[in-house]
Every structure is written in structure tokens, then in C-alpha cells.
Amino acid sequence: MSQGAALDGHILNIVQTEKIAEQVDLQNSLKARGYNIPQATLSRRLKKLKIAKIGGTYQAVDFNMPNLPLVLNMQVSDFGLIVLHTHPGNANSLAFYIDRKFVSFSSQMIQNSGILGTIAGDDTVLLITKSKEQLNQVIQLLHEEFPYLKK
């Protein structure tokens, strides 16, 4: 993964998980992750990622990740946990995509995916299902979303 793609993943993750009111706040969060980005460069990246200030905070307004990270492997526990492996540096982007598409952050469920949420490391995403009973439903959903995964 290129440094630019990794930076984009960090920007998306920060905007999704923190309340960012000003670009300087985003610059500070990126600096804490090891990226010192000039404001003009950050503005161009925000435009490219379709991130805009809405209601006082920066948000992804038209989420579309054409280069979705590849899921290399999926492991399933009997307790409602699923581990997805990807290339180093790609887990945040993958978790963001899954959360954005299948997890409702409000009290209204858009769709009942069975996914409670994700936790991302560097190359690993922990996917937590709402219940053990929904585990097979979530596995089916992942196979539909990532058809190259073998059952």
C-alpha cells in the first residue's frame, strides 16, 4: 500500500471516529500518527476523499472506496467473533468500510446486518457480531461482500 493510500485510510478513520471541527484538529491527529501534512495538501486530500464540513464537523459525504483492501484470510470463533486479515496498513480502511456499510451508529438500524462493530489493528480487523445466533448470517454477508473468500 502506498504512503498516500495509508494516509487516506488514516484520514477516513480519524474523521469517522473523532469530532473534527477544524482542519488543524485533523492535522494534529495525523501528526500524532506520524504524518505532518501541510494544510493545502490536507485540503486536496479531503476533497479527493469527498470529506466536507457538515454541521460543524468534517464527515465523509459520499463514501466510495474503489480500492477496498483485500481480505487475505478470515477466521471465525464459536463466540461471535470474526478475524479478517489484510495487508499491513490496510485494517483501518477495511474496518471503516465495514462499519460504514453494515453498522448503524444511530439508534435507527438501516439494515440488520448482525454486525455490532469492528476493531482495527495494522493488518487485522476484529469483527464483533451481535450474537452467536447471527454468526452464520454475518459470514454469509462477508462472503457476498468479498466473494473471493473461500467458505
Side-chain angles (χ1 to χ4, degrees):
M1 178 183 218
S2 71
Q3 176 142 353
L7 174 60
D8 289 348
H10 284 289
I11 291 171
L12 285 167
N13 179 261
I14 290 167
V15 168
Q16 178 69 19
T17 59
E18 299 176 24
K19 284 192 172 200
I20 302 294
E22 302 296 331
Q23 286 189 16
V24 70
D25 299 330
L26 183 53
Q27 282 178 296
N28 290 335
S29 290
L30 287 167
K31 192 176 284 188
R33 295 181 183 205
Y35 293 92
N36 192 6
I37 306 300
Q39 188 274 328
T41 302
L42 182 57
S43 287
R44 285 190 299 274
R45 290 211 175 263
L46 291 175
K47 185 174 182 178
K48 175 186 147 216
L49 294 169
K50 297 181 182 172
I51 295 173
K53 198 170 191 178
I54 300 171
T57 61
Y58 282 91
Q59 300 175 27
V61 291
D62 183 22
F63 182 72
N64 181 9
M65 185 173 288
N67 297 321
L68 187 62
L70 185 67
V71 178
L72 302 174
N73 185 24
M74 178 172 70
Q75 296 175 312
V76 180
S77 82
D78 295 332
F79 302 102
L81 301 175
I82 299 171
V83 176
L84 302 174
H85 299 278
T86 187
H87 291 289
N90 288 347
N92 276 330
S93 297
L94 181 61
F96 179 79
Y97 173 80
I98 292 169
D99 284 340
R100 188 74 175 187
K101 184 161 184 179
F102 300 112
V103 179
S104 173
F105 292 108
S106 68
S107 60
Q108 298 175 340
M109 280 300 294
I110 296 168
Q111 70 180 59
N112 187 12
S113 67
I115 299 172
L116 188 59
T118 61
I119 300 172
D122 182 51
D123 62 354
T124 305
V125 174
L126 175 62
L127 192 146
I128 304 164
T129 62
K130 290 183 180 183
S131 68
K132 288 192 313 184
E133 292 74 28
Q134 290 180 298
L135 186 59
N136 286 332
Q137 171 190 339
V138 173
I139 291 169
Q140 180 62 38
L141 184 73
L142 291 171
H143 283 294
E144 290 170 8
E145 193 66 26
F146 307 103
Y148 54 84
L149 288 173
K150 298 295 179 202
K151 292 187 178 184

